[in-house]
Amino acid sequence: PDGKLVFLIHGWDSNIGSLTLFAKGLMETNNYRIIGVSLPAHGYHDEKRTNMVESGEAFKTVLNFINQKERFDVIAHSFGAGVTTMGLATSTYKADKIVFLTTPNKVKNIFDEFKNFVKMGDKAYSNMLEIAKNEIINEPIEEYTIAKKLLKADYNDLLIIHDEYDKILPFSNSEEIVEMHPW
């Protein structure tokens, strides 16, 4: 309980157990206080659906409950990188080191992939984007990017580990984030 705080945040369609080896490694080699965040509609949660905004709010709820005064670290996988960004960008908490194990960037790309996957028509797609804009994110979906939101977060260092040949999240996501940040 006296060690440096590290939050572990899992990815989409996963659970906190997927980061067990990180927790074990941190416990064995360093004096860390580790908190794993299980996101809504993942793992043993009763909810059946969630989104990045809701999950970012869930992370912020955890931050508020812990009420950490000193800087802390975060290790986040995939969707968890977006959740971390949303939680930090909309709070006053300060992170020290953040590690993203792959990351999304443009949320619109996820909507585009869904449209193509289900062969959605243009009118239905336009309506879906309008609902997302007005009822979930409260801003144009084109503006909802990890790179832009991360500019509002207070952190010291960011390390992005992303396979150049990732088949789920394009490597270009990480490149776009790096391009926008003045490290």
Side-chain angles (χ1 to χ4, degrees), residues 159-179:
L159 172 64
I160 302 175
I161 300 171
H162 199 141
D163 186 339
E164 184 176 0
Y165 303 103
D166 191 321
K167 294 179 182 174
I168 306 297
L169 291 172
F171 183 73
S172 59
N173 289 344
S174 293
E175 291 177 313
E176 292 164 357
I177 292 169
V178 169
E179 284 175 19

Side-chain angles (χ1 to χ4, degrees), residues 56-71:
E57 287 297 315
F59 177 47
K60 199 162 62 171
T61 298
V62 172
L63 290 171
N64 289 336
F65 179 79
I66 302 299
N67 196 25
Q68 179 73 9
K69 302 298 183 202
E70 297 85 32
R71 288 187 181 269

Side-chain angles (χ1 to χ4, degrees), residues 107-129:
V107 173
K108 185 172 183 305
N109 290 350
I110 298 167
F111 280 82
D112 292 346
E113 288 175 25
F114 178 75
K115 175 190 186 245
N116 294 334
F117 180 74
V118 299
K119 297 176 180 30
M120 183 181 287
D122 290 340
K123 186 173 181 180
Y125 177 69
S126 180
N127 288 338
M128 181 177 69
L129 291 180

Side-chain angles (χ1 to χ4, degrees), residues 7 17-20 26 36 43 56 63 76 80 84 89-90 108 120-121 135 137:
F7 288 100
S18 66
L19 297 175
T20 300
L26 288 167
L63 290 171
T84 298
T90 59
K108 185 172 183 305
M120 183 181 287
E135 297 181 23
I137 64 174

Side-chain angles (χ1 to χ4, degrees), residues 14-27:
S14 185
N15 61 60
I16 197 56
S18 66
L19 297 175
T20 300
L21 291 178
F22 287 95
K24 184 177 179 187
L26 288 167
M27 289 181 343

Side-chain angles (χ1 to χ4, degrees), residues 72-167:
F72 52 85
D73 297 337
V74 180
I75 299 173
H77 174 242
S78 185
F79 179 72
V83 169
T84 298
T85 300
M86 297 308 138
L88 292 175
T90 59
S91 73
T92 58
Y93 292 101
K94 300 172 190 297
D96 185 19
K97 295 174 182 67
I98 301 173
V99 178
F100 288 166
L101 308 168
T102 76
T103 181
N105 184 30
K106 297 176 182 170
V107 173
K108 185 172 183 305
N109 290 350
I110 298 167
F111 280 82
D112 292 346
E113 288 175 25
F114 178 75
K115 175 190 186 245
N116 294 334
F117 180 74
V118 299
K119 297 176 180 30
M120 183 181 287
D122 290 340
K123 186 173 181 180
Y125 177 69
S126 180
N127 288 338
M128 181 177 69
L129 291 180
E130 206 51 36
I131 290 168
K133 172 187 167 189
N134 295 326
E135 297 181 23
I136 300 172
I137 64 174
N138 299 314
E139 64 183 274
I141 198 153
E142 295 78 14
E143 296 297 312
Y144 204 78
T145 70
I146 303 305
K148 288 180 182 178
K149 298 294 181 186
L150 202 51
L151 292 170
K152 297 177 181 178
D154 188 339
Y155 64 94
N156 289 331
D157 294 305
L158 173 65
L159 172 64
I160 302 175
I161 300 171
H162 199 141
D163 186 339
E164 184 176 0
Y165 303 103
D166 191 321
K167 294 179 182 174

Side-chain angles (χ1 to χ4, degrees), residues 1-6 25-27 29-34 73 97:
D2 297 328
K4 184 169 184 181
L5 179 58
V6 179
L26 288 167
M27 289 181 343
T29 61
N30 297 294
N31 186 25
Y32 286 100
R33 177 180 176 207
I34 302 160
D73 297 337
K97 295 174 182 67

